[in-house]
Amino acid sequence: MKLLLLTGRLAEADVRSAVNSARVPADVLVLDLDIAAFITPEHVRNAAPIGYDLIMLPGLITSDFSEVEQELGTKIRLGPKHAADITYILDHMDEIELSSRTPACALIAERLAKNAEETLSRIERNARPPVVVRGIGIGGGSRMKVLAEIVDATRLEDGSLEDKIRYYESQGADMIDLGLPLDALPDDVKRVVRIARRVSEMPVSIDTLRPDLILAGVDAGADLVLSIDGSNMHAVADALLDGDVPAVVIPGPGSLESNISAAIELGLTVIADPVLSPPLGGLAASIARYIDFRRAHPDTPLFLGVGNVTELIDADSHGANAILAAIGEELGASILFTPEYSRKAQGSVRELRRAAEMMALARERRSPPKDLGRDLLILKEKRPRPGLVPPDHLEVRMARQSSTFVVDPAGSFRIGLCGDEIVAVHDRMVIKGRTAREILDTAIDLNLVSRLDHAAYLGRELEKAEIALRLGKSYTQDEELF
């Protein structure tokens, strides 16, 4: 295929560099304009490129090129929005059908996402899990499952507990764990288990060492029990066997090996937890324990308490969760366990679900977890995009901040976050929304803004509020976000 890329003067260097880096050869034609996104059918008609099988335009163009396409007898299709993605698109030309309406980068993203979804479904179909909890496969080549803990579940009112369960389910949790405080009562445990059973079809586990609470939870319909050791095993074994309820076995009293041997002798279905230690509290040594256990027990499902790390380090959780999921995949872990107890760990369930999918896809492809159709890139990007190089003939002015402040006669705004919305409180009304644009547009339509400087200020603050909302950060008007 003979391929031509059209661009403008400002993007020429970036486009040529991307084309030269691709395996698929292509020509580049620079049209008589600066900004490539402003290419029109007339520009193409005047250039009259002939002898090509396909002409690729910048992905940001929205004009209709169907007439000039017929005149030239050549397909005209949209490439990616950014020059940095041209190399990847050219190298995957045989895998997609380019569109005259949808940018090529969007088509690639859709294809990768669809392929990822199909691969993940195939992985689950082909897995042979030794433990199945309410239809969810644990181990045996299946994807690592995310178990989301609700801390001190019995202290929550019914409505709050229901909301938390629904939230975790919406975030991609595979299972729900009800963490039980030391002062919980058996009737409290039965209440929360029954609520969880009513609200969701997800498997429900209970997390306690007290035999009376374990028995109450199993009686109410719990699907999994955390945590079984030498202190409670014999007291609850019959109930676990009668209910066919698997148990996560931990060390102490007694070693993990001795506790697992005892549990197996009793006929229990076992998931092993060698216990992941916190950062600078034995983290590396605990990973070594997992490695040793996996070598000795290649088929036993493994429980990895990711929250022991993410809750005890002041770092953004998405990168930590990705690395811990990668470690879990190498260890052969079956369950990734986390609460979202602290503010800094908010979003961990969603992040671990995405990370678990990434690791399953990478394992299937036998590659590092990149270019999978799934990622955890939130604050950074894979490929840099070119900056804006201004034309030389224009006058350059250095920016400066105005020292004057004039109150808008139309009134002032107080901006903040309330739940999952941005709230802008004006003298006459309150505007709520999810994006800066819709709130500012509404304020302008309602004539609540009369000065350009006020509109610019609102745009800055509302955009900060939207970023904070998307990242789960707090927002305070007139303060730096980062």
Side-chain angles (χ1 to χ4, degrees):
M1 174 185 290
K2 194 170 182 185
L3 178 64
L4 176 68
L5 275 70
L6 301 184
T7 189
R9 285 184 285 267
L10 294 180
E12 177 183 2
D14 295 313
V15 172
R16 291 193 184 280
S17 176
V19 169
N20 292 337
S21 299
R23 296 189 300 269
V24 175
D27 294 332
V28 177
L29 176 61
V30 181
L31 299 180
D32 187 24
L33 79 170
D34 289 329
I35 301 174
F38 294 163
I39 294 174
T40 65
E42 194 62 28
H43 286 115
V44 180
R45 186 178 286 111
N46 291 339
I50 57 174
Y52 290 95
D53 300 301
L54 188 146
I55 296 172
M56 185 183 293
L57 299 170
L60 290 170
I61 291 176
T62 58
S63 300
D64 183 0
F65 287 79
S66 56
E67 288 188 10
V68 69
E69 182 180 55
Q70 292 179 357
E71 293 172 16
L72 296 175
T74 303
K75 288 184 180 179
I76 300 178
R77 298 292 183 263
L78 293 180
K81 293 181 180 180
H82 306 286
D85 295 323
I86 288 174
T87 302
Y88 185 83
I89 297 299
L90 292 179
D91 288 344
H92 293 81
M93 286 284 291
D94 58 339
E95 302 174 25
I96 56 173
E97 180 68 30
L98 295 181
S99 167
S100 58
R101 297 295 181 189
T102 304
C105 48
L107 294 175
I108 284 286
E110 291 172 5
R111 182 186 66 83
L112 287 174
K114 182 179 179 181
N115 288 349
E117 195 65 42
E118 292 172 350
T119 301
L120 289 168
S121 296
R122 186 177 70 251
I123 288 171
E124 293 302 308
R125 287 196 307 269
N126 294 339
R128 296 295 180 264
V131 178
V132 178
V133 184
R134 194 174 281 266
I136 301 296
I138 308 297
S142 61
R143 170 182 58 79
M144 291 181 290
K145 302 306 189 294
V146 179
L147 177 56
E149 181 190 18
I150 299 176
V151 178
D152 294 341
T154 55
R155 292 178 180 167
L156 298 178
E157 297 294 331
D158 292 5
S160 297
L161 179 59
E162 291 173 3
D163 290 344
K164 191 69 172 178
I165 293 169
R166 292 191 180 100
Y167 164 73
Y168 277 152
E169 189 168 30
S170 72
Q171 294 294 291
D174 296 291
M175 303 180 286
I176 292 293
D177 177 65
L178 302 173
L180 306 179
L182 294 176
D183 60 355
L185 299 175
D187 285 344
D188 296 330
V189 178
K190 291 182 179 182
R191 173 181 67 88
V192 296
V193 171
R194 287 167 181 160
I195 289 172
R197 285 268 56 84
R198 184 178 73 246
V199 170
S200 175
E201 293 297 319
M202 289 186 294
V204 175
S205 71
I206 54 172
D207 189 357
T208 180
L209 285 167
R210 282 175 50 184
D212 60 330
L213 301 186
I214 293 174
L215 293 173
V218 171
D219 181 61
D223 303 296
L224 178 67
V225 169
L226 287 57
S227 301
I228 299 299
D229 64 9
S231 70
N232 57 23
M233 186 183 307
H234 290 85
V236 302
D238 289 343
L240 297 179
L241 288 170
D242 291 343
D244 193 24
V245 177
V248 175
V249 178
I250 62 174
S255 68
L256 180 61
E257 290 279 356
S258 64
N259 287 344
I260 286 178
S261 297
I264 292 173
E265 287 180 10
L266 290 170
L268 300 181
T269 301
V270 168
I271 299 168
D273 181 9
V275 182
L276 190 67
S277 298
L280 299 185
L283 174 58
S286 68
I287 293 173
R289 284 199 305 270
Y290 275 86
I291 294 172
D292 292 340
F293 184 89
R294 174 51 75 215
R295 287 172 179 163
H297 303 272
D299 300 322
T300 302
L302 272 178
F303 180 99
L304 191 67
V306 174
N308 292 349
V309 175
T310 51
E311 292 286 349
L312 295 172
I313 184 170
D314 285 342
D316 291 332
S317 62
H318 49 279
N321 281 322
I323 290 296
L324 289 165
I327 292 171
E329 186 67 51
E330 291 194 12
L331 295 172
S334 305
I335 294 176
L336 301 174
F337 177 77
T338 191
E340 291 187 3
Y341 185 70
S342 64
R343 176 78 175 181
K344 67 189 177 189
Q346 182 179 342
S348 284
V349 170
R350 174 181 52 79
E351 293 158 9
L352 280 176
R353 174 59 183 264
R354 177 54 62 95
E357 292 175 345
M358 291 169 60
M359 302 314 150
L361 292 166
R363 179 189 64 198
E364 183 78 1
R365 204 171 71 172
R366 298 183 181 181
S367 74
K370 63 187 295 291
D371 299 326
L372 300 166
R374 293 282 195 279
D375 65 57
L376 264 173
L377 292 168
I378 297 174
L379 298 177
K380 295 189 177 183
E381 59 189 4
K382 291 178 62 172
R383 289 180 288 274
R385 294 171 181 172
L388 175 63
V389 179
D392 293 335
H393 64 277
L394 295 179
E395 180 185 0
V396 177
R397 291 283 186 92
M398 298 307 297
R400 63 179 180 84
Q401 182 174 323
S402 175
S403 58
T404 60
F405 171 74
V406 180
V407 176
D408 192 333
S412 301
F413 282 89
R414 189 65 184 164
I415 301 168
L417 300 182
C418 182
D420 60 352
E421 291 181 312
I422 305 168
V423 178
V425 181
H426 186 263
D427 300 339
R428 304 203 307 265
M429 67 182 64
V430 176
I431 304 174
K432 295 182 177 181
R434 299 272 301 176
T435 69
R437 179 170 183 170
E438 64 188 9
I439 291 180
L440 185 57
D441 286 352
T442 302
I444 292 172
D445 290 344
L446 294 172
N447 296 317
L448 302 180
V449 183
S450 65
R451 291 182 57 87
L452 289 177
D453 55 352
H454 190 209
Y457 166 79
L458 288 176
R460 293 193 303 271
E461 288 300 318
L462 289 169
E463 189 67 23
K464 283 164 52 182
E466 181 179 341
I467 292 170
L469 185 66
R470 294 176 64 182
L471 294 180
K473 287 178 64 69
S474 299
Y475 163 81
T476 301
Q477 189 170 351
D478 296 325
E479 289 187 6
E480 292 295 327
L481 188 58
F482 298 103

